[in-house]
Every structure is written in structure tokens, then in C-alpha cells.
């Protein structure tokens, strides 16, 4: 499923889409992680930003 750029409400902002380079760049900077760390976190807990934040906070 592609990222609908017209859908800018909360559900779209709460998800991390690893298929979009600009989103990967945004989230790696926002979370202070590498792309590999971001991809591993999304693989582990899913694409919701809250789950990824919690996962990254628990690892370190």
C-alpha cells in the first residue's frame, strides 16, 4: 500500500513508511537512530511511531 500524501491526518503521521526516503530521513533524525536501527525497530514492533519510540527507549 502506498503512502497517500493527501492523507495528512493523525493515522498517517503516526505511521513510519520505510518505502519513502523522506520518511526514513525524517524518522532517523527525529529518533536519533541509523536507518538500520529504524528498520529493525519497525520489523520488531510494527510501523506505529509510538511503538517504535517505546522499543528504542527500552533497548538502551
Amino acid at each position: 500500500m502506498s503512502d497517500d500524501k493527501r492523507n495528512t491526518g493523525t493515522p498517517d503521521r503516526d505511521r513510519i513508511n520505510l518505502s519513502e526516503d523522506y520518511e526514513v530521513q525524517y524518522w532517523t533524525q527525529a529518533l536519533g537512530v541509523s536507518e538500520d536501527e529504524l528498520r529493525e525497530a519497525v520489523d520488531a514492533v510494527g510501523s506505529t511511531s509510538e511503538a517504535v519510540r517505546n522499543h528504542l527507549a527500552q533497548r538502551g
Side-chain angles (χ1 to χ4, degrees):
M1 180 166 124
S2 64
D3 188 21
D4 185 354
K5 292 172 184 55
R6 295 171 293 158
N7 182 8
T8 58
T10 301
D12 194 49
R13 276 187 253 135
D14 291 345
R15 301 251 176 224
I16 299 171
N17 183 350
L18 297 177
S19 298
E20 297 288 348
D21 290 339
Y22 70 92
E23 284 204 31
V24 172
Q25 182 180 8
Y26 169 80
W27 285 109
T28 55
Q29 291 177 355
L31 299 172
V33 296
S34 70
E35 182 176 339
D36 287 340
E37 290 170 313
L38 178 64
R39 289 183 183 280
E40 289 171 8
V42 170
D43 285 344
V45 297
S47 63
T48 62
S49 59
E50 182 178 358
V52 170
R53 285 180 196 275
N54 291 338
H55 177 76
L56 293 172
Q58 291 176 359
R59 71 181 176 135

